[in-house]
Amino acid sequence: MKTITISVDDETYRYCQRNAEAAGIPVEEWVTSRLAGITPPRASSKDVERQRETWNRIQADIDARANARGDELRTARKLTREELHDRGALR
């Protein structure tokens, strides 16, 4: 866990202090719980794996369609230094 320092006006601090006292916890813990409530939820490892599998299926489908048409995917290989810096090809 990382520690951060913030500055708030007196009224805001009193608000946090009153709410922390009502909850029976220190002000720092109350602020931490409030901040945790506004952060996006973390993806589980199963969700990440499911997204990876979906992405791989999409990529495989794109590759299959391109191969069926006989197209060469430009993203399938790295550009050479000369191709990368060929400004004329971009116009």
Side-chain angles (χ1 to χ4, degrees):
M1 182 178 290
K2 300 290 183 185
T3 301
I4 63 170
T5 302
I6 60 171
S7 298
V8 296
D9 59 78
D10 291 339
E11 184 180 339
T12 302
Y13 181 78
R14 283 191 299 273
Y15 171 81
C16 295
Q17 191 175 33
R18 282 192 308 271
N19 283 285
E21 287 174 1
I25 56 176
V27 173
E28 295 83 3
E29 191 175 323
W30 185 82
V31 171
T32 300
S33 69
R34 294 294 298 239
L35 289 174
I38 63 172
T39 58
R42 293 191 175 118
S44 69
S45 58
K46 286 183 181 180
D47 290 337
V48 171
E49 185 59 32
R50 198 173 309 122
Q51 290 171 350
R52 186 176 294 123
E53 289 171 3
T54 300
W55 177 251
N56 288 338
R57 279 196 307 272
I58 291 169
Q59 286 295 104
D61 185 45
I62 291 170
D63 291 344
R65 289 179 186 193
N67 288 337
R69 288 192 314 258
D71 295 343
E72 178 185 335
L73 292 177
R74 293 181 158 243
T75 57
R77 65 176 180 81
K78 291 183 180 179
L79 296 174
T80 65
R81 185 176 193 281
E82 290 75 27
E83 291 171 326
L84 183 64
H85 295 283
D86 183 12
R87 299 285 181 197
L90 299 174
R91 295 186 181 124

